[in-house]
C-alpha cells in the first residue's frame, strides 16, 4: 500500500506543481502504535517555481490542494518542506 501511495503522491504533485526536485519518504515505521497504526505517515520535500514569492503556509496549501482526497484516504500525517529553490 505505501509504495502505491508514494506513487500517487508523486504523480499528483508532479502534475500540479511541476517540481524540479521531489522526495517522498514513508515515515510510517516511526509512528508504529500511534493513531493510524504506523501507516500513512509521509514527509515530502519539494522544490517548485510555483512556490516563488509565497509564504510557507501558502506553499503548504498548494501541496494539500494537489493531494486533495488522499488526506482522508491513505495519508494520515504529512510533513512538508516546500521551497522555490
Amino acid at each position: 500500500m505505501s509504495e502505491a501511495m508514494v506513487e500517487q503522491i508523486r504523480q499528483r504533485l508532479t502534475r500540479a506543481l511541476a517540481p524540479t526536485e521531489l522526495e517522498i519518504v514513508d515515515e510510517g515505521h516511526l509512528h508504529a502504535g500511534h493513531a493510524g497504526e504506523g501507516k500513512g505517515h509521509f514527509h515530502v520535500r519539494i522544490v517548485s517555481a510555483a512556490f516563488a514569492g509565497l509564504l510557507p503556509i501558502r506553499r503548504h496549501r498548494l501541496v494539500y490542494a494537489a493531494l486533495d482526497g488522499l488526506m482522508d484516504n491513505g495519508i494520515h500525517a504529512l510533513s512538508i518542506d516546500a521551497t522555490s529553490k
Side-chain angles (χ1 to χ4, degrees):
M1 163 87 176
S2 79
E3 287 181 33
M5 183 57 61
V6 167
E7 188 55 32
Q8 283 187 58
I9 294 168
R10 181 178 313 286
Q11 288 176 5
R12 288 183 180 215
L13 292 176
T14 298
R15 191 174 333 127
L17 300 168
T20 56
E21 296 179 38
L22 179 59
E23 179 182 7
I24 304 160
V25 178
D26 180 350
E27 296 184 333
H29 65 284
L30 300 175
H31 301 278
H34 295 187
E37 300 187 21
K39 297 179 183 174
H41 293 77
F42 299 93
H43 175 75
V44 170
R45 188 184 68 75
I46 182 169
V47 179
S48 173
F51 300 139
L54 299 179
L55 293 173
I57 191 154
R58 184 69 180 121
R59 295 172 185 183
H60 287 207
R61 287 179 180 159
L62 288 175
V63 170
Y64 285 124
L67 300 177
D68 187 43
L70 295 181
M71 293 307 299
D72 292 327
N73 187 21
I75 299 176
H76 175 74
L78 181 68
S79 63
I80 303 168
D81 178 14
T83 62
S84 61
K85 51 183 164 170

